[in-house]
Every structure is written in C-alpha cells, then in structure tokens.
Amino acid sequence: MKKTALITGITGQDGSYLAELLLAQGYRVVGMTRRTSTDVHERIQHIVDDIEFVSGDLLDQTSMTSIVADVMPDEIYNLAAQSFVPTSWQQPVLTGEFTALGVTRVLEAVRATNPKIRFYQASSSEMFGKVTEVPQRESTPFYPRSPYGVAKVYGHWITVNYRESYDMFAVSGILFNHESPRRGKEFVTRKISDGVARIKLGLANRLALGNLDAQRDWGFAGDYVRAMWLMLQQDVPDDYVVATGRTHRVRDFVRIAFEAAGLGSFEKYVVQDPRFMRPAEVDLLIGDPTKAHEQLGWKPDVSFEQLVEMMVRADIDRLSARAGA
Ligand code: NAP
Ligand code: G4F
C-alpha cells in the first residue's frame, strides 16, 4: 500500500529535500502551500508534477482540519514556520502565531480527524539558546534567546503533551542548523556562499556580516530529512537531537568559503556591520547525536568542509549561468 505524507512548509529548504526523499520511497506526497500571487515553487520545480498541492495556512484552523480530513495522510511533517531568527524580534506576535500556535492547530486537526496519523514537529537547537550543557542532548534544559526560540519551545512541548495526553504518535526532532544550496539567502551560510560567489565573479567587492564568533553545529539538509523520516518509522514515538557533533565559528565558514573560491584571505573583503548583530545571541551550539545514531541508525554523510564547498560551487555556477544567459 502506497503511504501518503502531508508536508507543511514544502516550498522551504527542508520541504524540498523531504519531498524528494519520500517520492523516491514511493510515497504519495501532498504539500500544503499558502496562497500567493507569485510562484513560490523554486525549490521544488523539478518535482512539482509529482506532488499534489493543497492550499492552507497554519494561521487558519479550518483549512488545517479540512486538509487533514481530505488528504487522510499516514504521516504529517510539520515544517512550516517563520524560521528566520532576526525577523522574530520584528514580528514576535506573528512568529508566535505561526511557529508556536500553528503546531497546536495541526495537532488539533490530527486529533479531531484521525489520531493514528504519525506527526513530526520541526523543533530546533535554538531552544537550547544560552546553553546550560555542552554538548546539548535530548535532556538538556531549554533557555531560548529569541521570540523564535521561545515559540519553538512551545511547539516542542505541545507535541510532547499531545503524545502523552492522547497517546498520539507525535515526535519532535531537535535539529541543529542544516544548510544547502537551497538555503534562504538571509541565513548566514547562504549569505556567505552567495557573497563569495559575487566577489569571485566581480559582481561585488565586500561582504557585510554580524557576529563572526558565534558557533554552530552545521550539517547538510539532505542528510537531516532522512532523520525526520526515520523518526516516524519507529515502533515507539520519541524525541531526538539531530546534529553532527562538531561546531565551527561563523569565521571558519567564511574562511573556508573564500578559500574554496580561490580568493585567499577573507579579511580584505569582509566587514562587520552592527545591523546584523542580534539583541540576544546564541553563542555556542553543539549537539550530541548519540541517541539518533544508536536508535535510528542515522549518521550524516556530508562533512562541514564538503558542505561549504558545495554551497560556494553551487552559487558560482548559478551566477555564472545567469551572467552567460
Ligand atoms: P524555510 O526554508 O524558511 O521554510 C519555511 C516554510 O514554511 C516555507 O515553505 C514557508 O512557505 C512555510 N510557511 C511559513 N509560514 C507559513 C504559514 N503561516 N502557513 C503555511 N506555511 C508557512 O525553513 P527550513 O529551513 O526549510 O526549515 C523547516 C522547519 O525546520 C522550520 O520549522 C524551521 O523553523 C525548522 N528548523 C530549521 C532548521 C534549519 O537549520 N534549517 C533547524 C531547526 C529547525 P512560503 O514559501 O510560503 O514562505
Ligand atoms: O544562519 P543564521 O541566521 O541561523 P540561526 O539563527 O542559527 O537559526 C537557524 O538555525 C536554527 C537551528 O539552530 C533554526 F531553528 C532556525 O530556523 C534557522 O534555520 O545565523 C547563524 C549565526 C548567528 O549566530 C548569527 O548571529 O550567524 C550569525 N551571523 C553573523 N552574521 C549572521 C550574520 N546571521 C545572519 N543571518 N546574517 C549575518 O549577516
């Protein structure tokens, strides 16, 4: 029997990789998108004919409930969110509506329609914030440092609560930063790879960044969606940290990116701009993925260095093709 998966946030970075993975496994993939006046299918253009689309919004309970009732999925991956941390200070209420209460709306739709549906919540290492333990594992207490982080803590606990209250197969994947050539250009890794490519091709001569000392545990998004799927294939629902177990400073990403493009030392190109500093920073994230390794059999394939090189190469190729067109 062909399984059906409903993905919220299918137009995002993770949604695109997850849709590819599920289609390759023979799933019927249904993607929920919000109504827009322009095409938002850029990341899934290559598989758009293989996906069924339904129109809905995490802000709207009615659409969520009728989508779940109509689609009757076996699995739901709730990836939709306002996911950019700086925007969460500018739009804290909306971030709470999408990223926190939106989770309850999907869970309520599941509970009311068919509590047997398996539910995945996209939780985040941002919940650890001002970390109380190094490395961070499933039992590490949360100390979020942004309205986004606070909203994700709510999303995490409401998922645990529905599992415990209603015996639902609801799991929370606590994913550390994961990147790819499909990452939004506002996030630091893609901003760097795009900026380096522009400098390489003579389209720019400097790159303005914020805090170069922040440390993140960066992996490849294509590896991380495998962990999401594995979590929903277990006998017992549980929560998992998904990370590489290595951390690097933003400065390291910058250095390797400039080297990968053959531009040498980054110092003459990079300027620090206070506009990109945050009111409260998450200084250090490093995850302990032991539980995911042991119980899910999950391991990342792509190293940090390969990730940086992949992203720089993709942006150079993309911009070169555009210049040649
Ligand atoms: P992303 O590229 O920003 O994608 C977010 C998706 O959410 C987009 O498809 C967006 O649709 C959709 N969305 C936003 N608000 C919505 C709403 N009100 N109703 C319906 N859809 C809505 O994010 P991502 O990097 O793929 O991340 C996926 C999820 O994992 C997010 O929940 C994020 O917070 C979480 N997460 C990400 C990371 C990471 O490092 N990438 C780490 C931990 C957790 P539009 O195209 O219409 O904007
Ligand atoms: O790339 P970032 O914007 O990602 P951040 O804030 O870590 O959040 C991402 O990962 C989370 C998982 O931990 C997700 F939940 C979340 O949805 C998102 O995907 O910033 C990374 C670091 C920060 O410390 C920031 O201060 O890079 C630093 N940074 C330095 N200069 C910058 C810049 N970040 C951005 N976006 N732009 C800069 O110019």
Side-chain angles (χ1 to χ4, degrees):
M1 271 283 283
K2 200 171 186 166
K3 277 197 201 171
T4 297
L6 172 65
I7 305 176
T8 73
I10 195 162
T11 57
Q13 172 189 257
D14 291 6
S16 69
Y17 285 105
L18 180 64
E20 279 174 9
L21 175 86
L22 297 177
L23 286 170
Q25 312 239 26
Y27 276 70
R28 168 185 171 227
V29 174
V30 182
M32 189 190 89
T33 54
R34 344 181 231 186
R35 195 261 155 194
T36 51
S37 65
T38 51
D39 186 9
V40 292
H41 294 149
E42 189 182 314
R43 295 185 177 102
I44 46 174
Q45 206 60 61
H46 56 299
I47 46 174
V48 82
D49 293 336
D50 303 321
I51 297 169
E52 287 174 40
F53 291 95
V54 288
S55 180
D57 198 302
L58 284 185
L59 296 181
D60 184 52
Q61 183 70 63
T62 308
S63 64
M64 292 312 313
T65 307
S66 61
I67 284 170
V68 174
D70 289 349
V71 172
M72 274 298 170
D74 300 284
E75 298 171 5
I76 297 182
Y77 296 86
N78 184 38
L79 309 186
Q82 190 303 94
S83 74
F84 189 47
V85 173
T87 298
S88 77
W89 277 286
Q90 290 152 4
Q91 301 176 356
V93 176
L94 192 61
T95 299
E97 288 284 354
F98 283 6
T99 305
L101 275 180
V103 185
T104 312
R105 294 191 187 97
V106 185
L107 283 165
E108 265 302 286
V110 173
R111 188 183 69 80
T113 311
N114 174 11
K116 295 271 172 259
I117 294 169
R118 295 189 168 207
F119 174 85
Y120 172 86
Q121 167 57 16
S123 291
S124 165
S125 51
E126 276 289 305
M127 301 190 301
F128 297 122
K130 190 169 178 179
V131 300
T132 56
E133 188 177 27
V134 178
Q136 296 85 52
R137 47 179 69 91
E138 290 77 7
S139 55
T140 303
F142 300 138
Y143 189 152
R145 294 276 280 170
S146 63
Y148 168 82
V150 174
K152 282 288 179 186
V153 171
Y154 175 94
H156 171 82
W157 281 117
I158 199 70
T159 301
V160 173
N161 181 261
Y162 269 56
R163 179 168 77 221
E164 294 176 354
S165 303
Y166 304 115
D167 201 21
M168 283 166 49
F169 197 110
V171 306
S172 167
I174 307 174
L175 271 53
F176 283 61
N177 298 51
H178 44 279
E179 319 293 316
S180 74
R182 298 182 198 165
R183 187 59 141 152
K185 282 192 200 143
E186 66 275 39
F187 297 92
V188 77
T189 55
R190 184 73 198 290
K191 185 174 169 184
I192 295 166
S193 64
D194 181 66
V196 165
R198 283 173 193 280
I199 292 170
K200 175 75 179 172
L201 298 174
L203 303 170
N205 53 24
R206 52 165 229 149
L207 174 60
L209 295 170
N211 177 10
L212 299 182
D213 292 316
Q215 291 171 266
R216 290 289 183 277
D217 180 331
W218 277 298
F220 171 54
D223 286 337
Y224 284 44
V225 299
R226 247 189 304 120
M228 298 177 186
W229 176 76
L230 284 167
M231 281 180 226
L232 290 196
Q233 312 313 310
Q234 303 306 301
D235 292 336
V236 178
D238 205 349
D239 308 321
Y240 296 86
V241 157
V242 180
T244 70
R246 290 174 72 198
T247 194
H248 295 89
R249 292 185 191 278
V250 172
R251 176 185 310 284
D252 299 323
F253 197 107
V254 173
R255 179 177 49 75
I256 298 173
F258 275 87
E259 284 170 6
L263 288 166
S265 168
F266 68 87
E267 274 90 357
K268 59 178 185 277
Y269 302 108
V270 172
V271 290
Q272 271 192 291
D273 186 330
R275 279 183 306 147
F276 301 114
M277 305 297 253
R278 299 180 180 185
E281 179 61 284
V282 171
D283 294 316
L284 165 67
L285 290 176
I286 176 166
D288 176 358
T290 306
K291 184 175 170 186
H293 288 180
E294 289 179 353
Q295 293 186 26
L296 303 177
W298 178 85
K299 271 197 172 145
D301 287 337
V302 176
S303 72
F304 175 72
E305 292 75 12
Q306 287 170 329
L307 174 68
V308 181
E309 281 163 28
M310 175 204 302
M311 292 179 70
V312 170
R313 174 50 47 206
D315 273 319
I316 291 176
D317 289 349
R318 180 181 57 84
L319 288 168
S320 306
R322 209 162 76 182

